[in-house]
Amino acid sequence: MRIHLTSLFVDDQAKALQFYTEVLGFVKKTDVPVGEDRWLTVVSAEDPDGVELVLEPSGHPAVKPYRDALIDDGIPMTAFEVADVQAEYERLSALGVKFTQQPIEMDSISTAVFDDSCGNLIQIIHSA
Amino acid sequence: MADELFKALADSTRRTILDELAERSGQTLFELCTRLSVKHQLRMSRQAVSQHLAVLEQAGLVESRREGRYKYHDLNVGPLQSITERWISPEETEHKS
């Protein structure tokens, strides 16, 4: 068994697709209309056959209280691996991305946390 | 206020929280938890860290502020001033120098 899909609730699928592809650099994999919404996934450009990230509509009533409580405590539920946390922090900040945790280096791990502007906090991580 | 201040400082975990906030003020609960577990190998629940923060806030050593949807915790060293003022008079420090 292996992980195939993982989902993020996004406020606006079109805006999320733009952020995840144009700002973060992921690649669109699937985009199929489903009722009023889309079955929309992106993958890493470095691993196009790897885990797909589903950009899921956030309309379900459970989503708002769940995300509000997480964001209140600054908790990211998703982490992306990067080669250089500091460099990504600088690149994304220059593109207007808001960080709730600036890079910290602890032993062999570096992390930072940013707001994906679609309702989620995301951690970037590098472990040497 | 003085009792609350000394009680807050009497716990090593709370002093570690203050150390981390002194290194960088304005941290989310998540960042503090990350620092405590990764840097200090302190195995605690978020609720436990939250409770320590509440004690520090009660003593005035930590202040929390909202910025949009986020909540950040800042260090406030103001109350520590009262400790030095209580026992170390200005004349005494002058004598020593």
Side-chain angles (χ1 to χ4, degrees), chain A residues 72-74 102 104 115, chain B residues 24 30-31 35 66 69-70:
Chain A
D72 200 55
D73 286 339
Q102 291 167 27
I104 32 174
D115 185 326
Chain B
R24 178 153 84 210
F30 177 79
E31 178 171 357
R35 286 166 174 258
R66 284 215 153 265
R69 307 174 67 193
Y70 324 114

Side-chain angles (χ1 to χ4, degrees), chain B residues 1-14:
Chain B
M1 192 66 169
D3 283 348
E4 282 164 347
L5 179 60
F6 290 111
K7 185 191 161 209
L9 292 170
D11 180 273
S12 69
T13 301
R14 288 197 284 272

Side-chain angles (χ1 to χ4, degrees), chain B residues 8-51:
Chain B
L9 292 170
D11 180 273
S12 69
T13 301
R14 288 197 284 272
R15 292 194 298 274
T16 304
I17 291 173
L18 295 178
D19 289 339
E20 290 304 319
L21 286 174
E23 195 177 295
R24 178 153 84 210
S25 212
Q27 292 185 38
T28 61
L29 177 62
F30 177 79
E31 178 171 357
L32 271 172
C33 290
T34 305
R35 286 166 174 258
L36 293 178
S37 66
V38 182
K39 273 175 84 173
H40 301 280
Q41 282 79 47
L42 290 169
R43 300 265 168 259
M44 282 192 288
S45 66
R46 279 194 188 101
Q47 283 91 331
V49 178
S50 235
Q51 279 162 12

